[in-house]
Amino acid sequence: MHIKLAPSILNADFGQLADQVRQAEEAGADWMHVDVMDGQFVPNITMGTLVVEAVRRATRLPLDVHLMIEEPRRFVREFVDAGASSMTVHVEAVRHLDATVAEVRGAGAQVGVALCPATPLAMVEEIATRLDLLLVMTVNPGFGGQRLISETVDKVARARAMLDRLGAPAELQVDGGVTRDNVGELVARGATVIVAGSSVFVGGEGISGNVAALRARMQAARP
Ligand code: DX5
Ligand code: ZN
């Protein structure tokens, strides 16, 4: 099974965004992850549809849009039109999850649901079989470059067990604080899509070397 790597552009150099996205694609990224924040659901404001459009023009990879915004239903159509391939909404930011999931799918995008570290897996149990992606946050959403919360590693294993028990085909994504030192344990516990921001775009051996290093650890840890 191929474990996917989705670099998060949050920590990219925005002065050279298109070039950095192309470098990540050439290095072998599977998806590009775009973190949309509204300053309400999370204490930070980042980017919106204009940046999604710019990334869309820079790559042919699927665009995985992570909506850290209150009531994302209001913007589903705009993000699909901007080029989002999949959209992930936070269970904590949505009043009617069933209707929101249906709205994303109806707009023609793949649909994901995200859980903050303290949110129980049970919050998505009733809907899990209808998702393309379940995102288990490994940091509190809002900023790149945070340290992975160690308790979330076991939650990834329990999410894997829940999806398997329900026969749910959803990808299991992890996001936040992923490094080449901890990516193996996340893959070993059943994560199938790895989001990595600073460990791709900041320091190390540059984008292509960082992607290669993460990829090597991911391959070695496959269950
Ligand atoms: C956090 C975002 C993440 C984050 C990833 O709120 O959803 O995608 O930017 O960045 P790193 O890998 O640096 O934690
Ligand atoms: Zn994210």
Side-chain angles (χ1 to χ4, degrees):
M1 143 141 217
H2 178 69
I3 312 292
K4 297 182 181 70
L5 179 63
S8 158
I9 63 168
L10 188 57
N11 275 290
D13 175 353
F14 273 70
Q16 315 175 51
L17 182 59
D19 182 58
Q20 299 228 316
V21 167
R22 280 191 284 268
Q23 282 185 52
E25 178 172 7
E26 276 162 29
D30 296 286
W31 298 352
M32 292 305 303
H33 183 86
V34 183
D35 288 304
V36 176
M37 305 187 191
D38 67 352
Q40 295 290 323
F41 177 62
V42 291
N44 193 10
I45 298 174
T46 55
M47 50 199 122
T49 51
L50 287 175
V51 173
V52 173
E53 283 171 15
V55 177
R56 179 71 291 158
R57 286 193 296 271
T59 180
R60 295 167 69 171
L61 294 178
L63 299 190
D64 173 37
V65 177
H66 179 189
L67 295 173
M68 286 160 276
I69 65 177
E70 291 287 349
E71 289 303 343
R73 267 177 101 166
R74 298 173 292 154
F75 297 102
V76 165
R77 173 51 59 195
E78 282 90 335
F79 280 103
V80 170
D81 289 347
S85 314
S86 58
M87 254 181 282
T88 297
V89 301
H90 267 266
V91 63
E92 305 88 356
V94 160
R95 192 175 295 250
H96 296 288
L97 186 59
D98 179 280
T100 304
V101 163
E103 196 146 326
V104 173
R105 195 176 292 297
Q110 304 253 294
V111 60
V113 172
L115 301 172
C116 288
T119 304
L121 291 164
M123 294 298 285
V124 292
E125 190 156 359
E126 302 300 325
I127 209 164
T129 55
R130 286 160 45 205
L131 301 180
D132 298 299
L133 183 149
L134 175 63
L135 168 51
V136 172
M137 290 299 299
T138 41
V139 299
N140 286 300
F143 301 93
Q146 302 183 77
R147 218 182 145 81
L148 179 137
I149 297 170
S150 55
E151 288 79 5
T152 61
V153 175
D154 180 64
K155 189 180 184 186
V156 173
R158 285 182 286 112
R160 174 79 276 151
M162 181 187 78
L163 293 174
D164 291 350
R165 172 170 54 80
L166 296 170
E171 300 275 9
L172 177 55
Q173 186 177 56
V174 292
D175 182 8
V178 176
T179 65
R180 54 182 86 175
D181 292 327
N182 62 26
V183 71
E185 51 184 323
L186 297 164
V187 169
R189 281 166 179 77
T192 59
V193 184
I194 304 293
V195 177
S198 28
S199 59
V200 168
F201 289 105
V202 182
E205 290 89 57
I207 295 170
S208 67
N210 292 342
V211 166
L214 283 165
R215 181 74 79 193
R217 303 288 179 100
M218 289 161 60
Q219 293 300 109
R222 274 177 309 167

